[in-house]
Amino acid sequence: MQKRKAERLIKLNEEFFMKKALFLALKGRGRVHPNPLVGAVVVKSGRILGQGAHEYFGGPHAELNAIRAAGNAGGATLYVTLEPCAHSGKTPPCTNFIIKNKIKRMVVATKDVNPLVSGKGLAQLKKAGISVKQGVLEAQARELNRDFNFWIRHRRPYVIVKSAQSVDGKIATFTGDSKWISSEASRDRAHALRAASDAVLVGVNTVIKDDPELTVRRPKTLPADRQPIKIVLDSTLRTPVSARLFKNTKPESVWIVTANSAPISKEKRYRDLATVIRVKKVHARLDLKGFLQRIGKQGVVNVLIEGGGEVIAHALKEKLVHEMHCVIAPKIIGGKNAVNAVSGEGIALVKKAIQLKNLSVELVGGDIWVKGSPRYV
């Protein structure tokens, strides 16, 4: 009985400190790609001596920040959300620093899926005589880096779709008006999604009708110094040069994806505004999968698709979407000419509909925010 109580207390303590590490890891959201999010906490005699996160790409890793904050970490336990690296990249191996600072015990949430690391970091720590426990809050740690893990395995971005719609599935009225369907609280959360994204993608019709900036502007507490890349799918180069998405940006920060057949004469007008990327067409549409594979090799880990209905329909049809965020406002728009959240041809049979799994539903500012992962038939 006493032994079971002691084991339960140890488990609770380990989960408590690992939760702190997981929370710290969020400091790097939208800023560390193509590296993973990582948090770390140094604990000795039940007291936190230091804590840290990997906060930006090229910066010190979480383990280094936590140990440096602790000062003297000799004999302490280091809680870390991801297996420490044992190879040199932008920074030296974390394992060497951990061993040098005489950490006695490691509690690691999950192994790193990166082949350069996977298992090697833990093996090196064990070889140095450090006690290692792995698997504390592992599911939460894997979810934290679900985009990074997918990118490492497939070298293609993890794709998230966000749409704000009325109860009857409309994203704009028959006149094209769409401001604002969702609540202010939902718009804050949408900007948080942007802030966590490497790139935001829309179709040219969305640019022409809504003229979005595609930048992170709210809430004001979010860092906006690392803006996502703006991507426009535009097969015939119709994007207006006066579009707001070109405002205060460099050409390398705006990508216009067009067809190989698009006129060279039209491309010239974007010379000082954007980077034009040509791709082939597949079944009369831009090869979105091929484009994603291309930018995945360039280090783009995740992409947020924000519209319009045709682009979302195409991405779903090609089975490229991994996560959906459907913001349903308590409004009814109606009308056969109003704009649908998902357009395209649609399906013939309900049994062939794309089902959302791993559902979560919550109220945000009066809107119903539905999150789920598409399960393709």
Side-chain angles (χ1 to χ4, degrees):
M1 187 71 172
Q2 290 296 332
K3 183 182 178 183
R4 202 176 301 167
K5 268 187 171 182
E7 288 173 348
R8 177 169 169 72
L9 185 60
I10 289 170
K11 182 184 177 183
L12 288 172
N13 281 337
E14 288 176 343
E15 290 184 353
F16 173 81
F17 293 122
M18 191 60 76
K19 281 178 183 176
K20 282 193 169 294
L22 288 166
F23 180 76
L24 286 164
L26 295 174
K27 284 187 174 184
R29 180 166 279 176
R31 313 184 98 194
V32 301
H33 286 167
N35 286 345
L37 296 169
V38 185
V41 179
V42 178
V43 179
K44 191 171 185 179
S45 302
R47 188 167 65 90
I48 293 176
L49 301 182
Q51 52 191 21
H54 181 34
E55 297 190 26
Y56 59 93
F57 179 67
H61 287 191
E63 301 92 322
L64 274 70
N65 284 332
I67 291 171
R68 285 169 179 165
N72 180 9
T77 297
L78 177 61
Y79 290 81
V80 63
T81 58
L82 188 69
E83 174 184 7
C85 63
H87 68 288
S88 294
K90 288 277 184 182
T91 59
C94 291
T95 49
N96 292 354
F97 192 78
I98 292 167
I99 293 165
K100 180 183 175 182
N101 280 272
K102 297 181 169 46
I103 292 293
K104 183 178 180 181
R105 182 170 179 259
M106 290 285 303
V107 180
V108 180
T110 185
K111 279 171 59 173
D112 193 335
V113 299
N114 187 344
L116 292 173
V117 182
S118 190
K120 299 180 181 70
L122 298 181
Q124 190 173 333
L125 294 170
K126 289 175 183 176
K127 188 177 179 180
I130 297 173
S131 172
V132 177
K133 181 174 182 178
Q134 185 238 317
V136 176
L137 300 185
E138 184 167 13
Q140 290 92 320
R142 285 188 176 275
E143 174 61 20
L144 180 73
N145 282 305
R146 78 267 190 261
D147 49 2
F148 171 81
N149 293 338
F150 177 87
W151 175 76
I152 280 289
R153 290 192 178 102
H154 304 281
R155 277 298 187 266
R156 196 174 83 227
Y158 184 90
V159 176
I160 300 171
V161 165
K162 190 279 298 181
S163 68
Q165 60 199 64
S166 61
V167 169
D168 53 337
K170 308 298 183 182
I171 60 173
T173 68
F174 73 92
T175 65
D177 181 54
S178 61
K179 289 184 172 54
W180 293 101
I181 288 177
S182 61
S183 67
E184 191 168 340
S186 286
R187 297 199 295 276
D188 283 347
R189 183 173 289 197
H191 275 267
L193 274 177
R194 280 188 189 174
S197 302
D198 289 340
V200 179
L201 184 150
V202 296
V204 64
N205 288 332
T206 296
V207 176
I208 292 170
K209 291 175 183 176
D210 297 343
D211 197 16
E213 287 187 45
L214 301 181
T215 54
V216 179
R217 302 183 301 279
R218 53 190 295 167
K220 299 191 186 303
T221 52
L222 282 172
D225 55 329
R226 183 187 180 272
Q227 292 289 340
I229 297 164
K230 306 171 185 183
I231 302 175
V232 181
L233 298 186
D234 181 1
S235 60
T236 57
L237 296 177
R238 293 187 294 129
T239 303
V241 293
S242 59
R244 291 199 302 164
L245 60 86
F246 296 124
K247 183 181 174 183
N248 299 323
T249 58
K250 297 177 181 177
E252 59 268 26
S253 301
V254 182
W255 297 353
I256 297 180
V257 185
T258 194
N260 287 330
S261 58
I264 295 291
S265 58
K266 285 189 175 182
E267 180 179 335
K268 290 178 181 177
R269 59 182 176 171
Y270 302 112
R271 184 173 296 151
D272 298 321
L273 296 174
T275 301
V276 176
I277 300 172
R278 291 179 176 270
V279 300
K280 65 181 180 180
K281 276 191 169 184
V282 178
H283 304 303
R285 298 195 69 97
L286 293 176
D287 180 14
L288 185 55
K289 183 175 182 179
F291 169 69
L292 291 173
Q293 288 172 330
R294 182 170 166 180
I295 65 174
K297 291 174 184 175
Q298 296 172 7
V300 176
V301 173
N302 63 14
V303 172
L304 175 66
I305 296 179
E306 291 200 27
E310 289 290 342
V311 173
I312 293 172
H314 180 51
L316 286 168
K317 185 177 180 180
E318 294 297 311
K319 302 180 181 180
L320 299 172
V321 180
H322 307 100
E323 192 174 302
M324 294 279 297
H325 292 254
C326 302
V327 186
I328 305 169
K331 298 172 183 176
I332 298 172
I333 290 175
K336 64 179 181 179
N337 293 322
V339 186
N340 293 320
V342 181
S343 301
E345 294 179 0
I347 58 163
L349 301 171
V350 172
K351 66 180 181 181
K352 291 190 176 181
I354 298 170
Q355 186 87 23
L356 290 184
K357 58 182 181 179
N358 304 323
L359 276 180
S360 69
V361 181
E362 62 179 305
L363 282 176
V364 178
D367 301 328
I368 302 169
W369 194 293
V370 180
K371 175 185 172 185
S373 303
R375 182 173 65 201
Y376 299 104
V377 178

